[in-house]
């Protein structure tokens, strides 16, 4: 199975497949009964600072996607129209990277999630926040 198919399946359904290498991934998903405006997610990029590159990707029906980079860390944000309305922040790749890259990716994921919650005024409850982690550093994440 090709690497793109493996990573897509693993990130979407959170399980490994025979024939796929180990996958390193983490995700924070926010489901809300209220609409989450992609503009407030875009505005969250300004809260992160100048070390991050925050790019809005081309629109697709029912969803808006962003990519965020900081040093060796790269992650994606997917805003999906609902109900429930969802913001998924995640990173993932096939195999393993250095501790530095894994830790930087987890930190970026946490920082981006915090900026989105602040920028969009998301409150739990009524929003439901779930996390998923498949790295060597899951026990230390998320930092509260």
């Amino acid at each position: 199975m090709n690497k793109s198919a493996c990573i897509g399946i693993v990130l979407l359904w959170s399980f490994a497949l025979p024939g796929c290498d180990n996958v390193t991934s983490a995700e924070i998903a926010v489901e809300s009964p209220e609409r989450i405006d992609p503009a407030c997610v875009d505005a969250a990029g300004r809260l992160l600072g100048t070390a991050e590159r925050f790019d809005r990707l081309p629109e697709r029906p029912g969803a808006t996607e962003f990519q965020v980079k900081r040093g060796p860390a790269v992650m994606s944000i997917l805003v999906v129209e609902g109900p429930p309305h969802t913001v998924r922040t995640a990173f993932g790749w096939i195999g393993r990277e250095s501790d530095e890259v894994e830790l930087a990716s987890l930190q970026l994921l946490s920082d981006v999630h915090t900026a989105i919650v602040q920028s969009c005024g998301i409150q739990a409850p009524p929003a439901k926040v779930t996390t998923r982690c498949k790295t060597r550093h899951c026990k230390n994440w998320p930092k509260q």
Side-chain angles (χ1 to χ4, degrees):
M1 186 173 291
N2 75 39
K3 286 187 177 194
S4 295
C6 287
I7 192 72
I9 290 168
V10 171
L11 287 177
L12 184 60
W13 288 298
S14 184
F15 62 84
L17 292 176
C20 291
D21 293 333
N22 285 334
V23 172
T24 300
S25 65
E27 173 187 84
I28 302 174
V30 177
E31 291 182 353
S32 175
E34 305 293 324
R35 182 175 182 273
I36 301 169
D37 188 348
C40 72
V41 174
D42 201 9
R46 292 188 290 280
L47 298 176
L48 293 171
T50 59
E52 292 79 12
R53 183 170 167 200
F54 197 96
D55 296 315
R56 189 175 186 149
L57 302 177
E59 293 282 328
R60 57 188 197 188
T64 305
E65 191 169 6
F66 301 84
Q67 185 178 65
V68 184
K69 297 179 183 179
R70 177 197 291 157
V74 179
M75 59 159 292
S76 65
I77 304 167
L78 184 64
V79 182
V80 180
E81 294 292 328
H85 305 281
T86 307
V87 176
R88 293 179 69 218
T89 53
F91 69 84
W93 56 82
I94 300 292
R96 297 286 183 224
E97 289 285 345
S98 68
D99 285 342
E100 175 188 5
V101 171
E102 284 189 20
L103 290 169
S105 298
L106 286 169
Q107 186 62 55
L108 178 60
L109 185 60
S110 295
D111 293 349
V112 168
H113 170 73
T114 299
I116 291 170
V117 167
Q118 182 179 348
S119 178
C120 297
I122 296 171
Q123 295 183 359
K128 177 184 170 188
V129 179
T130 57
T131 60
R132 184 172 47 88
C133 184
K134 296 179 89 176
T135 78
R136 294 171 292 192
H137 304 284
C138 291
K139 66 181 175 187
N140 299 322
W141 181 83
K143 294 179 182 172
Q144 297 297 330

